[in-house]
Amino acid sequence: MPKAKKSGKRKKFNYNLDRKKMKKQAIKKCKPRIENSQIRNAWDDKKSMSRNLQDMGLAFDPNRSLPIQKKSLTREDRVTKAPVETVTKPYVVNQLEEEANRLQKDSKTLSSDLIEYAQYMIREHKDNFKEMARDEKNYYQDTPKQIKRKLIEYQRCHKEHYNTFMSSLAPQPIVQ
């Protein structure tokens, strides 16, 4: 029976490769980077994922962590108790809760062209959306619903700007 090609070939050491660098790359590929800084700082590489999360007070499997009511035909409903583990790193959960409870500023804005378009439509047509759709300066060929949606978006994103614009349009009482 013939032998496989190159089976008896002697393996040679490749001096051009950096073994230390290759090992670091392999470890980095096996253990992906954890995005959340609180979890990343409390993570222990020597422990398994489920054990790490359990120590932090987080659930690896939500089906096991929440008690489930099992219905049976013969007996009354019984509640299975979730296993109670001790949390050794409660500060992780506290930090995650604090971060979740922080108010986030709505950073959505509209382009200056769209703001000018909305102001023009309001100035010329007030609240008549059908007339707005028929306007020759309807750049976007919008339907009345689309125009209304854009005006509401302008009102929501730039409240102060919208209020000052509307107050400038209100008729000023003539003082004599």
Side-chain angles (χ1 to χ4, degrees):
M1 231 163 124
K3 279 186 4 181
K5 281 187 174 182
K6 299 183 181 179
S7 64
K9 188 176 179 184
R10 186 174 155 254
K11 296 199 179 345
K12 296 178 185 176
F13 186 81
N14 191 352
Y15 289 95
N16 296 328
L17 295 177
D18 187 355
R19 299 288 168 185
K20 188 176 180 182
K21 188 176 179 182
M22 286 175 63
K23 184 179 178 184
K24 281 184 182 179
Q25 286 175 345
I27 290 171
K28 190 175 183 181
K29 198 178 265 187
C30 291
K31 298 177 184 174
R33 187 174 188 279
I34 300 168
E35 293 296 323
N36 192 306
S37 61
Q38 290 93 354
I39 295 175
R40 187 180 341 115
N41 293 335
W43 197 265
D44 186 5
D45 288 327
K46 295 176 183 128
K47 294 181 183 176
S48 67
M49 184 193 307
S50 59
R51 187 69 201 168
N52 265 314
L53 292 174
Q54 181 183 340
D55 288 348
M56 291 179 217
L58 302 172
F60 174 71
D61 184 10
N63 295 325
R64 293 187 70 208
S65 63
L66 296 174
I68 302 168
Q69 290 185 348
K70 291 186 178 179
K71 294 184 179 181
S72 62
L73 297 172
T74 57
R75 291 178 260 146
E76 292 183 21
D77 295 343
R78 59 182 183 157
V79 178
T80 57
K81 294 182 180 177
V84 179
E85 289 97 13
T86 57
V87 178
T88 56
K89 301 175 183 177
Y91 60 90
V92 176
V93 175
N94 296 337
Q95 289 174 347
L96 290 172
E97 284 177 355
E98 286 175 21
E99 187 179 332
N101 290 335
R102 278 190 219 128
L103 293 175
Q104 291 183 345
K105 184 183 175 189
D106 187 17
S107 61
K108 186 175 181 188
T109 60
L110 300 176
S111 67
S112 58
D113 292 342
L114 199 57
I115 292 171
E116 287 175 24
Y117 173 70
Q119 288 178 350
Y120 168 78
M121 289 298 188
I122 292 170
R123 199 179 308 114
E124 295 297 318
H125 306 291
K126 306 288 186 232
D127 292 334
N128 192 347
F129 298 109
K130 288 183 181 178
E131 197 176 301
M132 286 182 193
R134 280 188 253 121
D135 192 334
E136 74 260 356
K137 289 195 178 178
N138 184 354
Y139 308 117
Y140 304 105
Q141 307 294 311
D142 290 335
T143 62
K145 281 185 179 179
Q146 290 171 328
I147 293 173
K148 185 176 182 181
R149 195 177 314 125
K150 285 180 183 177
L151 295 180
I152 290 171
E153 198 70 16
Y154 168 56
Q155 197 172 354
R156 188 181 67 80
C157 292
H158 303 280
K159 286 180 184 171
E160 298 86 22
H161 198 264
Y162 176 80
N163 291 334
T164 55
F165 174 70
M166 291 307 285
S167 63
S168 70
L169 286 180
Q172 302 291 328
I174 299 171
V175 179
Q176 293 180 345

